[in-house]
């Protein structure tokens, strides 16, 4: 199948791009798509327990978003925006800089007098490798000088930075939130556990490569950026037991999908491991581990829309998205949710 990028285009009115999160978290809407009957149901997210059954295993991504946007200055006083993408070593990061012409190898930048960095390398795709200089711990300094890196389509200021974190986030490292998880509250998770739904945590530090537009006409020419992942012993045991007993593995978000499908063998079993993944999932793809998905609505022509289409078909997903537009669902990071079962 020779799929083109524009095969994944759909019309989205700009007013449906959510600018602020709803309160409370679980009051967002939930579109449920049943692959066996091709039926669409409309619910509120707090009713997601209706779509889950005893023994289901929810796999969530415990990553936390760093205040990864920095406003720096050159030695000549020029302004440069720096976005942390991926940690390479203790004080070394891959970053995106704007404007790039001010950041050649050797360029030194300062942020609020507390943090400085030097460009050590420029990658083929234009990212910079930089070394940071600071006193104390990097995370503490970053918490004071960094800004939460909201996507460019969100123009409203975020009043509470914790609303761009999941309630189960634990480990700093992401440049963007795993947004499917933003709908869960501690109370909702407790109700699901009481119902017999299990939860396993994996880790994938979300980089901006996941959200980068696909510029190539043929999707096979698109190169994914790699992202760091971990699956611990406890999570691997829970996932493997669920697969062995024929229980559903329900991924919360495309980041959980990419972690599981990177590691899973042909029978859907995983192992405790860590590494970097650049897996690119697009139709037709045979899922090895994931049985169902909770996700948000994704940008037209994006790799995330391609991944979601792989769970059924491109035509089905585009039909569901047109339905969501007609029903005035809210789209993207602070938007409503979708579950494919």
């Amino acid at each position: 199948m020779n799929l083109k990028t524009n095969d994944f285009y759909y019309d989205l009115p700009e007013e449906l791009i959510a600018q602020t999160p709803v309160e409370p978290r679980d009051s967002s809407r939930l579109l449920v798509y049943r692959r066996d009957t091709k039926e669409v149901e409309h619910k509120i997210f707090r009713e997601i327990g209706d779509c889950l059954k005893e023994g289901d295993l929810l796999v969530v991504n415990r990553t936390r978003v760093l205040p990864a946007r920095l406003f720096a200055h050159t030695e000549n006083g020029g302004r440069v925006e720096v976005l942390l993408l991926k940690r390479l070593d203790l004080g070394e990061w891959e970053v995106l800089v704007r404007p790039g012409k001010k950041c050649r190898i050797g360029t030194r930048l300062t942020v609020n007098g507390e943090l400085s960095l030097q460009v050590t390398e420029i990658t083929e795709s234009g990212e910079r490798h930089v070394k940071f200089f600071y006193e104390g711990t990097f995370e503490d300094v970053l918490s004071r000088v960094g800004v939460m890196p909201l996507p460019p389509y969100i123009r409203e200021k975020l009043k509470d930075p914790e609303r761009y974190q999941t309630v189960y986030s634990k480990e700093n490292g992401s440049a963007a939130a795993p947004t499917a998880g933003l709908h869960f509250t501690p109370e909702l998770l407790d109700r699901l556990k009481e119902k017999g739904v299990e939860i396993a945590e994996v880790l994938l530090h979300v980089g901006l490569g996941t959200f980068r537009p696909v510029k190539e006409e043929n999707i096979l020419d698109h190169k994914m950026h790699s992202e760091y992942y971990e699956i611990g012993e406890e999570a691997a045991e829970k996932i493997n037991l669920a697969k062995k007993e024929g229980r559903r593995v329900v991924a919360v978000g495309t980041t959980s999908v990419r972690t599981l499908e990177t590691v899973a063998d042909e029978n859907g079993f995983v192992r405790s491991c860590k590494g970097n993944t650049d897996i690119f999932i697009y139709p037709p793809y045979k899922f090895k581990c994931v049985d169902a998905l909770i996700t948000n609505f994704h940008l037209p022509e994006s790799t995330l829309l391609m991944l979601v289409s792989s769970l059924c078909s491109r035509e089905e997903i585009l039909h569901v998205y047109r339905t969501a537009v007609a029903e005035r669902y809210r789209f993207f990071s602070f938007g409503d949710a979708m579950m494919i079962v």
Side-chain angles (χ1 to χ4, degrees):
M1 187 186 297
N2 192 16
L3 287 170
K4 304 291 188 210
T5 299
N6 62 13
D7 289 332
F8 295 89
Y9 179 80
Y10 66 93
D11 274 320
L12 178 68
E14 192 173 341
E15 68 267 18
L16 294 186
I17 300 174
Q19 293 297 313
T20 54
V22 297
E23 294 296 344
R25 290 172 182 259
D26 60 359
S27 62
S28 55
R29 295 168 72 193
L30 173 67
L31 184 152
V32 181
Y33 181 62
R34 300 193 178 276
R35 289 176 286 178
D36 54 351
T37 62
K38 296 185 169 38
E39 289 178 313
V40 172
E41 297 171 17
H42 304 288
K43 293 181 176 289
I44 303 300
F45 195 84
R46 70 175 68 94
E47 300 169 336
I48 198 163
D50 297 346
C51 309
L52 295 166
K53 51 183 184 276
E54 183 180 355
D56 280 345
L57 178 65
L58 280 183
V59 179
V60 302
N61 181 4
R62 69 174 183 270
T63 190
R64 270 184 76 79
V65 187
L66 289 163
R69 179 166 275 135
L70 302 170
F71 297 101
H73 289 89
T74 65
E75 290 168 330
N76 298 326
R79 279 173 59 88
V80 178
E81 187 177 331
V82 179
L83 188 63
L84 306 184
L85 296 180
K86 187 166 68 173
R87 187 172 228 146
L88 303 171
D89 208 338
L90 193 58
E92 296 183 25
W93 284 77
E94 181 174 279
V95 304
L96 201 61
V97 295
R98 283 192 305 223
K101 62 178 183 288
K102 291 184 179 178
C103 296
R104 299 183 174 89
I105 291 176
T107 299
R108 190 130 180 171
L109 305 171
T110 57
V111 185
N112 280 16
E114 281 198 74
L115 190 66
S116 65
L117 58 143
Q118 188 164 27
V119 179
T120 59
E121 188 181 328
I122 301 176
T123 69
E124 278 183 30
S125 48
E127 286 84 14
R128 268 61 173 178
H129 289 181
V130 302
K131 184 168 179 57
F132 281 100
F133 303 91
Y134 51 90
E135 288 185 13
T137 64
F138 182 71
E139 281 74 15
D140 285 347
V141 175
L142 195 63
S143 70
R144 291 192 294 272
V145 303
V147 177
M148 198 59 79
L150 292 180
Y153 49 75
I154 295 177
R155 291 181 288 278
E156 295 275 335
K157 188 170 174 57
L158 183 62
K159 293 173 183 171
D160 177 10
E162 277 303 305
R163 280 303 273 111
Y164 196 54
Q165 306 279 13
T166 63
V167 296
Y168 46 74
S169 64
K170 290 174 183 160
E171 203 162 322
N172 281 320
S174 279
T179 55
L182 295 179
H183 308 283
F184 286 97
T185 64
E187 296 78 18
L188 176 55
L189 289 168
D190 286 343
R191 288 202 303 275
L192 293 176
K193 288 174 189 172
E194 286 168 13
K195 183 172 181 163
V197 174
E198 277 196 272
I199 296 171
E201 295 181 357
V202 297
L203 176 74
L204 184 133
H205 286 323
V206 188
L208 290 190
T210 307
F211 304 96
R212 281 242 170 91
V214 180
K215 294 178 180 173
E216 291 78 10
E217 182 185 359
N218 186 332
I219 67 170
L220 299 182
D221 296 330
H222 177 71
K223 185 181 185 310
M224 293 285 283
H225 281 62
S226 71
E227 295 164 314
Y228 178 79
Y229 71 86
E230 286 181 15
I231 295 183
E233 291 281 359
E234 184 183 343
E237 286 174 13
K238 286 183 178 180
I239 293 160
N240 290 338
L241 186 59
K243 297 309 287 186
K244 185 179 177 183
E245 294 179 350
R247 295 184 280 117
R248 289 192 306 180
V249 172
V250 182
V252 178
T254 56
T255 60
S256 297
V257 172
R258 296 178 70 243
T259 304
L260 294 170
E261 294 297 314
T262 292
V263 177
D265 65 18
E266 290 306 310
N267 298 309
F269 294 108
V270 302
R271 65 192 187 283
S272 172
C273 61
K274 59 181 74 173
N276 291 288
T277 179
D278 60 359
I279 189 172
F280 182 13
I281 297 174
Y282 52 85
Y285 175 85
K286 186 176 184 297
F287 284 85
K288 298 172 288 188
C289 186
V290 173
D291 300 303
L293 171 65
I294 299 165
T295 187
N296 277 21
F297 293 97
H298 303 295
L299 278 74
E301 302 184 340
S302 63
T303 60
L304 301 180
L305 183 57
M306 294 169 191
L307 183 155
V308 172
S309 299
S310 306
L311 278 158
C312 38
S313 73
R314 180 185 67 88
E315 294 79 10
E316 284 174 76
I317 288 299
L318 289 178
H319 169 71
V320 171
Y321 268 56
R322 285 192 291 271
T323 302
V325 169
E327 294 288 335
R328 310 293 290 175
Y329 274 74
R330 301 165 80 244
F331 278 65
F332 306 163
S333 295
F334 285 144
D336 295 316
M338 172 183 182
M339 184 171 184
I340 301 173
V341 295

